[in-house]
Amino acid sequence: MAENRVRVVIAEDSVLLREGLTRLLTDLGHDIVAGVGDAEALISTVHGLAAQDALPDVVVADVRMPPTHTDEGVRAAVRLRKEYPGVGVLVLSQYVEEQYATELLAGSTRGVGYLLKDRVAEVREFVDAVVRVAQGGTALDPEVVAQLLGRSRKQDVLAGLTPREREVLGLMAEGRTNSAVAKQLVVSDGAVEKHVSNIFLKLGLSPSDGDHRRVLAVLTYLNS
């Protein structure tokens, strides 16, 4: 746990949920450096930490926060991603809000996550997502992925993918590694590697793109 210990700022207007997240992460060895209840406080807190050269590894923020409870949280998250690219941002939402998810994912999927609040109840998966985002990975709720990808299923750019390749790419979009995809689909790591190679080939992503091919494949899927 010490190796994966991360510094977290929590922005959630529900005191009960904020305290619950704080307790959950603290009990598992992580550092909660601040807990705030609105987007303005989130931004000022992160600015203050930056001034002290003590930026958090990740910000966990509710999409909807005071004063209007519309999009303050996600807008603050988008702003912080631009100002501090090295800080991961994981937003929580009561239900899938496609516009906000798309805006958050625009540009890069590095160090970003979008989970439904119901996912918090799955403690291990939630904490793994926090750590993954803090370390520059991606964590997308399966429901978010399903809705974002639903509109792209008939696009020509994806027409060449088999149903299994679409399934693999969907799991990749959730931030899963090849091994995690293999476990989810109950197949071998080698089978997943073959599917991923075929996906790269069919989407026109050459080996020269290096490790970025995985991100480019997911972005192609989300933006098509």
Side-chain angles (χ1 to χ4, degrees):
M1 179 59 71
E3 295 179 359
N4 292 324
R5 188 170 186 169
V6 297
R7 289 164 42 81
V8 187
V9 169
I10 298 175
E12 167 60 59
D13 61 295
S14 166
V15 176
L16 183 62
L17 181 54
R18 185 168 71 242
E19 292 301 319
L21 292 175
T22 298
R23 178 64 180 274
L24 186 159
L25 290 167
T26 299
D27 285 351
L28 289 175
H30 301 292
D31 297 324
I32 308 302
V33 296
V36 299
D38 61 70
E40 184 176 342
L42 169 60
I43 291 173
S44 63
T45 295
V46 175
H47 284 173
L49 290 169
Q52 301 170 37
D53 195 25
L55 280 171
D57 298 306
V58 61
V59 169
V60 177
D62 190 359
V63 166
R64 298 173 179 264
M65 290 200 290
T68 67
H69 292 280
T70 54
D71 61 356
E72 284 89 349
V74 73
R75 296 217 174 275
V78 170
R79 176 177 170 180
L80 290 174
R81 271 174 61 75
K82 292 178 180 178
E83 295 182 356
Y84 307 106
V87 176
V89 173
L90 174 61
V91 300
L92 304 177
S93 181
Q94 197 67 41
Y95 51 89
V96 179
E97 298 179 88
E98 186 175 322
Q99 177 184 345
Y100 300 154
T102 301
E103 184 174 3
L104 186 68
L105 293 167
S108 172
T109 59
R110 177 177 173 79
V112 64
Y114 190 117
L115 297 180
L116 296 184
K117 287 187 175 180
D118 288 347
R119 201 67 56 188
V120 176
E122 299 172 19
V123 175
R124 178 52 58 187
E125 287 191 20
F126 171 71
V127 175
D128 285 349
V130 172
V131 173
R132 187 160 67 246
V133 171
Q135 296 176 341
T138 305
L140 299 181
D141 194 286
E143 292 296 327
V144 174
V145 174
Q147 184 159 320
L148 289 177
L149 301 189
R151 69 174 185 273
S152 67
R153 293 189 184 279
K154 297 181 180 179
Q155 297 298 321
D156 290 342
V157 70
L158 304 176
L161 298 184
T162 66
R164 176 61 92 179
E165 288 164 354
R166 287 175 181 271
E167 191 173 12
V168 169
L169 187 50
L171 292 171
M172 287 167 58
E174 293 174 22
R176 297 175 189 262
T177 63
N178 284 3
S179 293
V181 172
K183 183 177 180 180
Q184 178 70 21
L185 299 180
V186 195
V187 297
S188 68
D189 287 1
V192 172
E193 290 173 5
K194 183 176 180 180
H195 287 311
V196 172
S197 294
N198 287 338
I199 290 168
F200 291 157
L201 179 65
K202 292 178 180 180
L203 294 183
L205 301 174
S206 68
S208 63
D209 292 316
D211 292 337
H212 294 298
R213 286 194 297 173
R214 198 175 188 88
V215 173
L216 292 173
V218 171
L219 288 176
T220 298
Y221 210 174
L222 295 178
N223 294 328
S224 64

